[in-house]
Amino acid sequence: MESFLTLPIINRNYSNILHITDTHLFANDQSKLLGIDSNASFQTVIREIENRNSPFDLIVATGDFVQDGSEQAYRLFAEQIQKFNLPCVWLAGNHDNYHDMQEIFADYQLAENKIVLLGNKWLLVLLNSQVVGQAYGFLPQSELEFLQRTLTIHNDRYAFVFLHHHAIESGCHWLDQHILKNKHELEEIIKHQPNIKGVAWGHIHQSLDYIWHGCKAFSTPSTCIQFMPKSYDFKLSYEAPGWREIKLAIDGSIQSKVYRIADNCFQPDMSQNGY
């Protein structure tokens, strides 16, 4: 039986979620990813979120926390997130070491709960799409059954699903080779579960929005490098690092907006053709 996190919502008719993804941090502050200091860009994102002073209830972090596989980089993420003094749930991306994440994030009280009961109306479900050693994603039968079971148990709530890998083609040929390989199985659940009102992911380092069988689906930009939309081959974008804020209303509606850092001094090395 999966443990769940229960968060009361007081004196508001909506819940507010901060979605952060694909930080790609290093142990060494001098290291760069495709020309961008991803440690510095992440910390800039955190400062700008703090300055906005939005009333968040929860942080959801959807993978690719580190680029170099180091424990120190995971600790950097946790130390920055602790500044918000908010619950944070997370799941692994294709670059992550799940075992290290479990041990290190537990030291910082970053919750491993895959079910969040948010107020009286909303259910959040986190799905692990990581395939160890591969860039693409896959939801094993155990994850699909977990989703179905959780939706059944909490059928009086609206549902929002988070995962790392994209479940809808991005339009980038090179990225779509690394999609959720059994996306059709998730799609079948969404088709037949009208309580699912939203699905969100990271992985593709760009912001895209869809209506998917009646629910809202979207990707959130990375806090470091961005990939050029609609590119056949690997190509970087000059768009700024960013994050997404998601409002879940008590009537089941969703409002969402992407924000990016205001003064983008983080320019990628456009000569690079992969990573």
Side-chain angles (χ1 to χ4, degrees), residues 7-270:
L7 298 176
I9 307 301
I10 301 172
N11 297 329
R12 268 192 279 121
N13 60 3
Y14 64 89
S15 305
N16 207 13
I17 297 170
L18 169 60
H19 185 201
I20 290 178
T21 194
D22 298 273
T23 53
H24 291 272
L25 302 173
F26 293 90
N28 185 346
D29 279 342
Q30 305 307 311
S31 297
K32 292 187 176 182
L33 177 62
L34 301 173
I36 285 184
D37 183 340
S38 56
N39 288 14
S41 66
F42 172 58
Q43 291 175 75
T44 300
V45 165
I46 295 299
R47 283 196 300 273
E48 295 209 9
I49 295 170
E50 286 182 306
N51 290 340
R52 280 183 47 76
N53 201 29
S54 295
F56 294 114
D57 301 295
L58 176 71
I59 301 168
V60 179
T62 53
D64 282 0
F65 294 90
V66 307
Q67 181 64 22
D68 61 359
S70 70
E71 293 184 6
Q72 187 174 336
Y74 284 118
R75 293 190 184 280
L76 171 61
F77 176 85
E79 288 163 2
Q80 291 295 313
I81 289 299
Q82 274 196 328
K83 293 180 178 180
F84 293 106
N85 194 30
L86 288 168
C88 173
V89 291
W90 53 269
L91 40 77
N94 50 288
H95 283 267
D96 288 315
N97 182 312
Y98 187 69
H99 178 265
D100 286 350
M101 293 169 70
Q102 284 179 300
E103 289 197 344
I104 294 166
F105 287 173
D107 291 342
Y108 293 86
Q109 291 76 53
L110 301 192
E112 196 183 349
N113 302 92
K114 295 177 63 178
I115 301 169
V116 182
L117 303 182
L118 202 51
N120 297 319
K121 295 292 185 178
W122 280 93
L123 162 72
L124 272 55
V125 184
L126 278 66
L127 298 179
N128 183 3
S129 60
Q130 184 192 54
V131 180
V132 176
Q134 301 294 336
Y136 65 79
F138 188 86
L139 291 173
Q141 194 62 32
S142 58
E143 286 293 282
L144 296 168
E145 290 174 357
F146 158 68
L147 175 59
Q148 290 272 34
R149 184 171 65 251
T150 304
L151 292 169
T152 299
I153 293 170
H154 301 285
N155 61 8
D156 58 335
R157 289 173 175 263
Y158 305 115
F160 199 109
V161 176
F162 287 92
L163 66 163
H164 176 72
H165 291 86
H166 59 309
I168 300 175
E169 290 184 352
S170 68
C172 294
H173 172 76
W174 72 274
L175 267 177
D176 290 338
Q177 297 175 69
H178 310 306
I179 199 169
L180 182 74
K181 290 297 186 181
N182 60 335
K183 59 185 177 65
H184 60 283
E185 293 188 79
L186 177 60
E187 184 174 15
E188 281 302 307
I189 294 174
I190 289 169
K191 281 181 181 178
H192 296 99
Q193 291 284 355
N195 276 15
I196 299 179
K197 300 299 183 183
V199 186
W201 51 77
H203 190 54
I204 60 173
H205 291 234
Q206 55 189 272
S207 172
L208 296 174
D209 293 79
Y210 313 85
I211 299 296
W212 197 28
H213 302 293
C215 80
K216 291 191 175 183
F218 39 74
S219 62
T220 292
S222 166
T223 64
C224 57
I225 58 169
Q226 310 302 311
F227 298 142
M228 180 66 73
K230 308 299 181 184
S231 55
Y232 187 87
D233 295 316
F234 180 92
K235 190 174 183 180
L236 295 170
S237 167
Y238 285 116
E239 284 191 294
W243 67 95
R244 187 182 285 272
E245 299 182 11
I246 305 167
K247 285 187 176 181
L248 306 179
I250 59 173
D251 64 358
S253 62
I254 298 171
Q255 294 181 28
S256 172
K257 186 174 181 180
V258 164
Y259 295 86
R260 298 181 187 271
I261 60 174
D263 182 14
N264 186 20
C265 59
F266 300 101
Q267 298 300 308
D269 178 357
M270 301 297 277

